[in-house]
Amino acid sequence: MTMGAIARRITRVITAVVCVAVSVGVSVATLHVPTREGGGERFNPARYRSDVIADTVINHTTGVDKTQGTGTAGSPYDKKGYFPEAGYTPSDFHAPCSIWTYRDAESVWNCQVSGLQDLDTSSPHVRDVLSDYFVKLLDYGVAGFRVDAVKHMPPEDVLAIKKLVAKKSGRSMNDIWWTQEVIGDNAEAAEIQPRNYLKTGQVNEFQYAYRLKSLFSNSLAGGSLSIKDIPQNITDSGKASVFVTNWDTERNNMTLTYKDGDAYRLANAFMLAYPYGAPNVFSGYEFHDTDSGASGATATSVPDIDCSKDSGWSCTERWPDVHGMVGWHNVAGDAPLSDWQDDGDNMIAFGRGGRAFIAINNSVRTRTVTYHTALPAGEYCDVYASADCSGSVHVRFDGDATLTVPAGSAVAFHIAATPYTVRQ
């Protein structure tokens, strides 16, 4: 496939995604969930639109172990740094060296991660090439970017590149959604910590995902950290993008994955319900070891996603509970956390003002509990259970609701999903 053919395919995919409205934003490898007006479980194109978020790798290129070759789009390269299609020559790369310690920022910024040729992002030419790349993607129709391996570039370089993108595209910096992979580790150099990159955009908050695994594997409210306090001592909500797992952490057993069954589903529900960060729902494929690829993939191609039964693709965003919770998230909007209730262990419940309420049962037995909510009296659909309102919730005039929550499950309802609205 040529570069032109790839560009045309990207444009078609983006056009199809944006024109056929869905309830989650779509990215190369993750589903960004924007806050949107609406949220009834019945699919309504007028209520939802989708955003394509491109996953970009701008710090490095091919490994130095690759003497020379041709990419899948027909572009040649070599280990000296000649990439004519991209416009790079050896002078655009840092001198070869290996990262010798993560306690030294200069080593992390200027040497090769995993043997990959390291671009000199302080170079005006490199910044020009990279900003043109981002602008081209914006012109294709993407809404923003997830930028990989950001801590391997100085913060001022990343900020300068985004400023160029804004200038060239005629957009405000704030109008370009931008989240950055910066894996925080207090044992590493202070200069490469996530807080240093907040001027450019959001950062992926890995600690949130690690904490979710610990909490849902043990006790939600009975340990040293209650899940109610999960944002404690991590990135401020407005600057954090969060996830239950991603394509790296699922392979190293650091986070929950689809293999964890009910706990994984409940963690996604909590992430979409709790008012912290910008949630990203990961959707990928099943894997058997660290290096497993997609079903049917080769060294040069990956087949289109197949969400049919036993296809090997997880298609998390299509699960009824996840889809229902995206609508819940959208209806909750910016309403504050309210009516927190828990049993001191694995049963929690909370609302988002008078808009939405959820009860999560991470225990091994069914629980029937009466909770107080701020929702108006009436009948609501349990959007975690189904999209057709086959499960319903009754809120009494005093705001109380008696909920029977199966083990490893949840009951979730909101003001935009009632038996009446679902019938419309």
Side-chain angles (χ1 to χ4, degrees), residues 359-380:
I360 293 175
N361 182 3
N362 191 47
S363 75
V364 295
R365 62 187 179 89
T366 296
R367 300 286 300 277
T368 298
V369 184
T370 297
Y371 290 112
H372 182 71
T373 84
L375 274 68
E379 296 292 327
Y380 297 93

Side-chain angles (χ1 to χ4, degrees), residues 235-256:
T235 306
D236 289 345
S237 179
K239 284 293 188 177
S241 60
V242 295
F243 51 89
V244 176
T245 195
N246 72 14
W247 50 95
D248 289 325
T249 63
E250 69 170 358
R251 302 303 179 100
N252 59 21
N253 203 36
M254 293 292 287
T255 57
L256 295 167

Side-chain angles (χ1 to χ4, degrees), residues 70-85:
T70 303
T72 56
S75 53
Y77 64 89
D78 66 24
K79 73 173 184 178
K80 295 179 181 178
Y82 285 104
F83 292 81
E85 290 280 358

Side-chain angles (χ1 to χ4, degrees), residues 407-424:
S409 190
V411 172
F413 49 101
H414 58 73
I415 59 173
T418 69
Y420 173 78
T421 61
V422 167
R423 288 195 297 269
Q424 301 308 301

Side-chain angles (χ1 to χ4, degrees), residues 113-127:
V113 56
S114 302
L116 301 171
Q117 298 181 69
D118 195 79
L119 281 164
D120 179 4
T121 49
S122 70
S123 159
H125 177 251
V126 171
R127 291 178 179 181

Side-chain angles (χ1 to χ4, degrees), residues 88 92 119-134 154-162 164-165 168:
Y88 294 135
D92 294 314
L119 281 164
D120 179 4
T121 49
S122 70
S123 159
H125 177 251
V126 171
R127 291 178 179 181
D128 197 47
V129 171
L130 291 173
S131 58
D132 284 345
Y133 163 66
F134 282 112
E156 58 269 23
D157 290 2
V158 185
L159 181 60
I161 292 166
K162 187 179 181 185
L164 268 178
V165 175
K168 289 181 178 182

